[in-house]
Amino acid sequence: MTEPIPMLDLKAQYATLRADIQAAIERVMESQNFILGPEVEALEREIAAYSHCRFGVGVSSGTDALLLALMTIGIRPGDEVITTAYSFFATAGSIVRLGARPVFVDIHPDTLNIHAQAIEARITPRTRAILPVHLCGQMADMETILAIAQRYNLYVIEDACQAIGADFHGQRAGSLGHLGCFSFFPSKNLGGAGDSGMIVCNDPHLADRAVLLRNHGHRPKYYNQAIGGNFRMDALQAAILRAKFPHLETWTAARGRNAALYAELFRQAGLAGEDGPITLPREAGWGRHIYHLYQIRAVRRDELMAFLKSRGIASEIYYPVPLHRQECFAGMGFEAECPQAERASRETLALPIYPELTPAQIERVVTSIQEFYRL
Ligand SMILES: *Cc1c(COP(=O)(O)O)cnc(C)c1O
């Protein structure tokens, strides 16, 4: 029996980092300083610099980064926030949790990102912000989005939870909007040993507001200037992430190589041509794709997934239900026409792309897919 191929092999990664991570944990344990503090501040500086931003605000998760970012710009009940119909739930959930309305825009079929040209038609007097997601590790069309935001005086919050290190004409994810949000969930390109996230930005006033609201809005302690929450980052997460962060560029390069090898092998196999059964992920050409996910579109997607599983190859559907179709939003008036998002939810399949994946494993994935379509 051949070895199974998982979606992600965190044990393989840990094996190469064990000593550094153990030392990081030990450092925090010796300090007995567990919440915020010097480790979090150091990570904030490192991630902000990496993301071409002046400020980083370490938080408890990517979801909380989004919620806190929306709180920071003062999103309130009745406000409208324009976002994509095709993302992880937190993108829309964070808007609704503040009593605001998500206005869903369909995706561009090539990139699976928000169709920037379709945004303007959805702007109303209540629109306060645009929340694009850089899905799979490729940035949305920020040039168009920023131009619209400027014309209508809207905030832009980047959901960069899948896109740390991606860029748009050389400008890093998180640095183009007013606020950028990262997740360090274990499966993300830079993942911790639990939940955490970060907001990055260039505006000192927004950074200060985010810092205030991250810790209940009190300043000084027990004197509350605003109603915030507990969105604080753990020192243990920061220390572990700091041990992993120096390897991020190497991992990103490996993901890029894996994507290139997939494309080459799929084309050689005749699977990804004009009438081939699969469609490869497309790069828009405006910057680095960091391949958080390698999303293909596949004919008979669900059958293919089951076949791969029978061969010990993991794959995953991101996402089976577009946001405007989520049950919890039924009857809330968030209906939208998003046929491309619905099509994507039926056709896309994410294949393993993690850095430690070997060329032989990638070949096995492609060969198995070839075998499936020959059946
Ligand atoms: C992972 C993710 C989030 C949420 O991050 P958590 O750290 O899991 O809360 C939000 N948006 C997108 C697009 C994500 O991929």
Side-chain angles (χ1 to χ4, degrees):
M1 179 65 192
T2 39
E3 283 283 300
I5 302 177
M7 274 306 278
L8 194 62
D9 192 352
L10 288 174
K11 283 186 181 166
Q13 191 183 72
Y14 179 58
T16 68
L17 301 173
R18 182 188 300 270
D20 290 347
I21 289 177
Q22 294 290 344
I25 293 170
E26 195 54 32
R27 205 163 67 227
V28 174
M29 293 312 292
E30 286 303 322
S31 79
Q32 290 289 300
N33 190 345
F34 295 120
I35 308 284
L36 299 174
E39 292 287 347
V40 171
E41 285 164 23
L43 183 74
E44 288 173 340
R45 285 193 295 274
E46 289 163 6
I47 298 297
Y50 179 75
S51 305
H52 301 172
C53 283
R54 288 177 66 193
F55 306 101
V57 181
V59 296
S60 29
S61 70
T63 301
D64 284 345
L66 289 165
L67 185 64
L68 180 57
L70 291 165
M71 289 169 73
T72 297
I73 60 166
I75 293 298
R76 293 186 310 172
D79 289 345
E80 291 179 359
V81 178
I82 293 176
T83 193
T84 173
Y86 196 61
S87 179
F88 179 63
F89 178 73
T91 308
S94 56
I95 297 167
V96 183
R97 285 170 69 187
L98 293 174
R101 298 170 56 84
V103 174
F104 295 115
V105 167
D106 206 0
I107 54 170
H108 194 290
D110 285 353
T111 61
L112 306 176
N113 277 327
I114 190 166
H115 199 313
Q117 269 77 23
I119 290 174
E120 199 163 5
R122 306 302 310 280
I123 292 174
T124 76
R126 289 172 176 265
T127 308
R128 295 285 317 283
I130 306 172
L131 176 36
V133 179
H134 308 315
L135 206 71
C136 307
Q138 173 163 241
M139 288 183 69
D141 177 1
M142 291 304 287
E143 192 177 340
T144 304
I145 291 168
L146 292 172
I148 294 168
Q150 199 157 34
R151 205 170 321 133
Y152 292 90
N153 197 24
L154 305 173
Y155 282 105
V156 175
I157 293 176
E158 295 173 65
D159 181 342
C161 289
Q162 299 187 4
I164 190 165
D167 75 54
F168 187 87
H169 298 304
Q171 287 178 281
R172 286 257 162 101
S175 70
L176 285 101
H178 294 87
L179 297 156
C181 301
F182 294 123
S183 165
F184 305 124
F185 186 79
S187 68
K188 298 292 158 87
N189 285 29
L190 179 62
D195 280 308
S196 65
M198 194 171 289
I199 290 178
V200 290
C201 72
N202 278 302
D203 181 329
H205 301 291
L206 289 177
D208 183 66
R209 185 78 184 164
V211 167
L212 179 73
L213 294 174
R214 172 177 67 177
N215 197 7
H216 298 293
H218 55 210
R219 186 180 286 161
K221 206 170 181 181
Y222 309 129
Y223 292 80
N224 291 73
Q225 300 181 9
I227 305 167
N230 173 0
F231 303 118
R232 299 175 306 240
M233 188 182 203
D234 287 350
L236 268 173
Q237 295 309 328
I240 291 165
L241 288 163
R242 290 184 67 210
K244 296 180 77 171
F245 175 61
H247 305 277
L248 180 58
E249 278 297 308
T250 309
W251 294 333
T252 299
R255 285 172 181 271
R257 279 198 303 277
N258 291 346
L261 183 57
Y262 266 129
E264 190 188 322
L265 294 177
F266 277 130
R267 290 209 179 91
Q268 273 173 16
L271 290 165
E274 278 290 294
D275 347 279
I278 69 164
T279 308
L280 301 180
R282 212 162 294 157
E283 295 196 16
W286 50 53
R288 178 166 76 159
H289 191 323
I290 59 149
Y291 287 101
H292 171 61
L293 300 176
Y294 189 82
Q295 292 260 47
I296 61 167
R297 288 180 193 257
V299 169
R300 295 194 284 137
R301 190 261 323 259
D302 294 348
E303 284 170 69
L304 172 62
M305 189 180 182
F307 178 83
L308 290 176
K309 190 175 173 200
S310 76
R311 296 296 152 106
I313 297 169
S315 61
E316 194 71 56
I317 297 169
Y318 299 102
Y319 298 90
V321 182
L323 295 173
H324 65 296
R325 294 283 186 207
Q326 289 295 343
E327 187 184 343
C328 62
F329 294 151
M332 294 180 84
F334 305 157
E335 291 80 6
E337 285 282 313
C338 302
Q340 290 297 343
E342 284 172 35
R343 218 188 95 203
S345 70
R346 290 191 303 267
E347 294 181 353
T348 59
L349 189 66
L351 302 176
I353 185 77
Y354 60 89
E356 297 79 12
L357 201 65
T358 65
Q361 287 175 310
I362 292 171
E363 249 170 77
R364 223 180 93 207
V365 175
V366 174
T367 310
S368 301
I369 292 175
Q370 194 172 19
E371 203 181 322
F372 170 75
Y373 285 112
R374 279 214 200 105
L375 290 180

